[in-house]
Amino acid sequence: NAGVMQNPRHLVRRRGQEARLRCSPMKGHSHVYWYRQLPEEGLKFMVYLQKENIIDESGMPKERFSAEFPKEGPSILRIQQVVRGDSAAYFCASSRLYTGELFFGEGSRLTVL
Amino acid sequence: AQTVTQSQPEMSVQEAETVTLSCTYDTSESDYYLFWYKQPPSRQMILVIRQEAYKQQNATENRFSVNFQKAAKSFSLKISDSQLGDAAMYFCAYRSASSGGSNYKLTFGKGTLLTVNP
């Protein structure tokens, strides 16, 4: 009974490169959420997706950031032209219902040099 | 907008003793959920305990219990018989329960780092 799977666990990018973070929700979960954790901060909501739909992206920067959850395959958080301020841990969570309990993955730590 | 405040950046406790972590929140809603999450060095977010605002009874989960004071908007976590494995960052979180709106979002505090001394 696999939990929420995120990869890569660690990603190093140079400024200007692209970062792609993947999240496979728990089996039977069709709601995916991405949160960002900056150093010494709590997690902050970025985006909420259902299969093939972005429901709420109000917490995601308008530029350089995008997210998708295709019909097949994992959810992807994509950061283009990364800057040092993007260095953070990115957590994915999933739920069976949109008001259901969230189950978190182990996070992907992005370091921008 | 809701806010969650954890006023203790760090706390320490001796093994086998009891420690209380504080959390206050601000909301104009009457129906909501409150959570405590644990983040050990592995960084995974683990749900420790959950409280529904409409319930007067404080939630308990084995050695973990909460003191929920709705009028004071306070939600503290008590860890009894502390163990070395309890050492972690603890986050308090809020989620609205009102229908419609953003009742899927969790709002987190900044966390309290708990050290357990042997």
Side-chain angles (χ1 to χ4, degrees), chain A residues 23-42:
Chain A
C23 169
S24 296
M26 283 182 70
K27 187 176 181 181
H29 288 193
S30 59
H31 303 264
V32 166
Y33 315 81
W34 286 93
Y35 283 78
R36 177 164 68 173
Q37 184 179 29
L38 294 170
E40 300 185 11
E41 295 278 330

Side-chain angles (χ1 to χ4, degrees), chain A residues 9 33 35 37 40-43 45 48 55-56 58 89 91 98-102 104-106 109, chain B residues 33 37 39 42-45 47 50 91 95 99-111:
Chain A
R9 291 292 312 279
Y33 315 81
Y35 283 78
Q37 184 179 29
E40 300 185 11
E41 295 278 330
L43 279 68
F45 170 82
Y48 163 35
I55 307 302
D56 181 352
S58 61
F91 286 88
Y98 84 102
T99 55
E101 180 180 343
L102 267 61
F104 282 87
E106 293 185 329
R109 172 161 288 284
Chain B
Y33 302 97
Y37 281 88
Q39 187 180 45
S42 67
R43 300 200 69 82
Q44 183 162 19
M45 295 291 286
L47 178 63
R50 160 189 167 135
F91 291 98
R95 194 177 90 191
S99 58
S102 306
N103 56 359
Y104 44 80
K105 282 184 193 176
L106 283 169
T107 301
F108 286 88
K110 289 190 175 184

Side-chain angles (χ1 to χ4, degrees), chain A residues 7-109:
Chain A
N7 68 82
R9 291 292 312 279
H10 301 277
L11 182 64
V12 179
R13 285 288 178 266
R14 296 192 179 279
R15 280 179 296 170
Q17 292 184 320
E18 178 179 289
R20 284 195 182 212
L21 309 177
R22 296 174 194 79
C23 169
S24 296
M26 283 182 70
K27 187 176 181 181
H29 288 193
S30 59
H31 303 264
V32 166
Y33 315 81
W34 286 93
Y35 283 78
R36 177 164 68 173
Q37 184 179 29
L38 294 170
E40 300 185 11
E41 295 278 330
L43 279 68
K44 291 202 187 316
F45 170 82
M46 297 181 74
V47 61
Y48 163 35
L49 310 107
Q50 293 178 24
K51 285 283 188 182
E52 300 184 277
N53 286 304
I54 297 174
I55 307 302
D56 181 352
E57 55 183 349
S58 61
M60 199 159 65
K62 297 271 188 284
E63 297 180 357
R64 303 188 297 106
F65 285 72
S66 62
E68 63 177 10
F69 188 17
K71 187 176 179 181
E72 301 291 337
S75 175
I76 306 282
L77 179 67
R78 182 183 177 204
I79 311 171
Q80 295 177 289
Q81 298 175 326
V82 296
V83 301
R84 289 220 174 107
D86 297 332
S87 295
Y90 292 83
F91 286 88
C92 173
S94 72
S95 65
R96 187 180 299 276
L97 303 172
Y98 84 102
T99 55
E101 180 180 343
L102 267 61
F103 292 84
F104 282 87
E106 293 185 329
S108 293
R109 172 161 288 284

